[in-house]
Amino acid sequence: MPTALRELALAAIAARLGTNTTATVERARRAAVDTKKDTLPHLNLLGGDLSDDITAEPLHTHTTLSFTVVGHVRARTDLAAEQALSELHAATVAALATWEPAVDGMDTPIHEGAELRLLDAEESEHPVGRFEARFNVLIVAPTGTLTA
């Protein structure tokens, strides 16, 4: 049975993050990360919207898939948590920016921006940092093809 291009892309992205960062990688986790019990560093890949452009190339659809990577780190001090947060975010961006996906028609993901912050003392008794990085990736396929 054919697999949706969106699923192929997200699976490839998750695999790339899993082999090119030191973090535990999950997909589509809706539950909040338990910063006391869950293994950190942690990345959660969340698939987003699709937008199509059928005018860019005859008989092909240029689909942009948006996705978000949410990262969490824990450290002994606030400064160490902030440094670990910066490092995990940089590793996440680098893992995707230097990659040529094996999925037919899929381009290298583009980092669109991120919010990085330390959790307040009221939110976590341990120094914990969290980022939410936004990306998009272009997938080109024959018009009317959403599977491979």
Side-chain angles (χ1 to χ4, degrees), residues 5 37 63 94 104-105 115 119-120 122 124 132-133 140:
L5 290 174
K37 297 179 183 175
T63 300
D104 284 343
E115 290 82 38
L119 300 186
D120 293 331
E122 294 81 30
S124 175
E132 192 167 314
V140 179

Side-chain angles (χ1 to χ4, degrees), residues 24-66:
T24 300
V25 178
E26 288 189 277
R27 279 200 45 211
R29 177 178 174 162
R30 295 182 311 133
V33 171
D34 184 333
T35 59
K36 288 184 194 175
K37 297 179 183 175
D38 285 337
T39 301
L40 300 182
H42 181 274
L43 295 174
N44 185 20
L45 172 61
L46 302 164
D49 295 332
L50 296 170
S51 61
D52 293 339
D53 178 0
I54 60 172
T55 65
E57 181 181 354
L59 303 177
H60 286 82
T61 300
H62 289 223
T63 300
T64 301
L65 166 63
S66 65

Side-chain angles (χ1 to χ4, degrees), residues 59-80:
L59 303 177
H60 286 82
T61 300
H62 289 223
T63 300
T64 301
L65 166 63
S66 65
F67 64 94
T68 302
V69 179
V70 179
H72 285 85
V73 297
R74 179 177 44 237
R76 293 186 183 267
T77 67
D78 291 344
L79 178 58

Side-chain angles (χ1 to χ4, degrees), residues 1-9 103-105 139-142 145-148:
M1 177 176 204
T3 302
L5 290 174
R6 180 180 187 273
E7 177 55 29
L8 288 172
V103 176
D104 284 343
I139 305 167
V140 179
T145 305
L146 295 176
T147 60

